[in-house]
């Protein structure tokens, strides 16, 4: 029988679909507890994972299109099954926009959404949106830069443990998962270098539909240290 529900995992920047095995396992266990069948898929976004000569090169629109294509493939193979995208970090942003007005995607679970076209960003990131970012992309061409100059990758592997449902921020403990970070550094499919134009596309992307008009079920996840 076809799975009743399918999940498509969308990874963060520097990572790849294969790095999301812990999330896949958690989803399988959840399905088993609830007593229904499900399938979990993962995708390598453009410029990531098994990317050959195109590693570190992408546009935000290409990422959105990749998730939509994968979702359509899943929907075609499971017929009437629901397809939910699950995105972490950059993957959350991609998954959110991919689901907007797209029939094959039932809903989205996302963590780490920026909405750069609607929300003011930090100065060191906002610089990519203006003329200076455009000039940098032109001057640098296809030369790649280390994304760690802009992103604190160690914080990606922070984890928050709270005392239970309804806990306040004060009862949550933030810790650094150094083993996962070190595993990512050793992973041959992790991607650390990108063209400036690729990074800039993340912050200059303007979706056709505003976030408020998304129109699909969306669950946003935040950490215990988030002020929002």
């Amino acid at each position: 029988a076809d799975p009743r529900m399918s999940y498509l995992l969308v990874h963060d920047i520097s990572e790849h679909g294969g790095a999301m095995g812990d999330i896949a396992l958690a989803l399988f266990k959840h399905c088993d507890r609830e007593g229904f069948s499900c399938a979990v898929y993962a995708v390598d976004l453009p410029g990531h994972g098994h990317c050959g000569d195109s590693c570190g090169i992408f546009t935000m629109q290409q990422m959105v299109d990749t998730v939509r294509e994968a979702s359509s493939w899943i929907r075609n193979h499971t017929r009437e099954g629901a397809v939910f995208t699950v995105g972490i970090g950059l993957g959350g942003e991609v998954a959110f926009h991919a689901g907007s007005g797209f029939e094959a995607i039932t809903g989205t679970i996302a963590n780490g959404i920026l909405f750069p076209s609607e929300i003011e960003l930090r100065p060191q990131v906002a610089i990519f949106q203006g003329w200076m970012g455009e000039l940098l992309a032109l001057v640098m061409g296809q030369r790649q830069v280390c994304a760690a100059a802009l992103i604190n990758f160690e914080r990606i592997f922070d984890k928050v443990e709270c005392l239970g449902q309804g806990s306040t921020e004060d009862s949550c403990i933030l810790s650094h998962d150094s083993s996962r970070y070190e595993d990512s550094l050793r992973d041959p499919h992790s991607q650390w270098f990108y063209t400036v134009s690729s990074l800039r596309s993340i912050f200059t992307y303007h979706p056709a539909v505003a976030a408020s008009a998304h129109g699909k079920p969306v669950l946003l996840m935040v950490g215990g240290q988030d002020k929002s």
Side-chain angles (χ1 to χ4, degrees):
D2 288 329
R4 195 184 87 174
M5 184 177 299
S6 298
Y7 297 97
L8 175 62
L9 307 184
V10 190
H11 62 81
D12 199 356
I13 191 168
S14 86
E15 296 195 324
H16 57 94
M20 302 186 75
D22 55 341
I23 297 177
L25 181 59
L27 287 171
F28 276 126
K29 289 182 177 179
H30 173 75
C31 290
D32 186 59
R33 286 195 304 269
E34 296 298 321
F36 58 83
S37 61
C38 67
V40 181
Y41 304 84
V43 63
D44 282 346
L45 293 174
H48 295 78
H50 299 269
C51 44
D53 295 334
S54 62
C55 289
I57 303 172
F58 64 85
T59 67
M60 187 67 172
Q61 187 61 58
Q62 287 172 345
M63 290 184 165
V64 170
D65 290 343
T66 295
V67 171
R68 287 179 169 176
E69 289 170 10
S71 300
S72 294
W73 183 91
I74 295 170
R75 176 57 66 88
N76 290 337
H77 282 73
T78 58
R79 297 196 288 275
E80 300 303 322
V83 179
F84 288 90
T85 53
V86 182
I88 304 296
L90 174 61
E93 185 93 11
V94 173
F96 179 88
H97 293 306
S100 181
F102 192 67
E103 184 178 356
I105 296 176
T106 307
T108 296
I109 303 170
N111 168 268
I113 293 182
L114 287 174
F115 295 142
S117 63
E118 302 183 39
I119 297 176
E120 185 176 348
L121 302 177
R122 299 190 307 272
Q124 63 266 40
V125 175
I127 193 173
F128 274 82
Q129 295 177 310
W131 65 268
M132 190 172 292
E134 186 175 358
L135 180 61
L136 277 172
L138 181 63
V139 170
M140 294 297 293
Q142 293 302 301
R143 285 177 291 178
Q144 298 191 1
V145 298
C146 182
L150 292 171
I151 302 166
N152 183 353
F153 281 99
E154 288 196 59
R155 286 298 306 274
I156 294 175
F157 300 99
D158 284 348
K159 59 182 179 181
V160 178
E161 295 180 356
C162 298
L163 298 181
Q165 188 174 5
S167 297
T168 64
E169 180 180 330
D170 293 337
S171 63
C172 296
I173 301 172
L174 179 70
S175 61
H176 176 59
D177 193 341
S178 59
S179 62
R180 285 194 60 212
Y181 178 57
E182 291 165 3
D183 287 344
S184 182
L185 290 174
R186 288 192 294 265
D187 190 336
H189 297 300
S190 291
Q191 178 65 33
W192 305 103
F193 290 83
Y194 302 89
T195 63
V196 173
S197 59
S198 296
L199 293 173
R200 187 170 184 266
S201 75
I202 299 172
F203 307 115
T204 57
Y205 180 71
H206 289 275
V209 179
S212 59
H214 185 279
K216 293 287 183 72
V218 178
L219 173 63
L220 300 181
M221 301 181 293
V222 297
Q225 298 294 312
D226 264 304
K227 302 298 183 182
S228 57

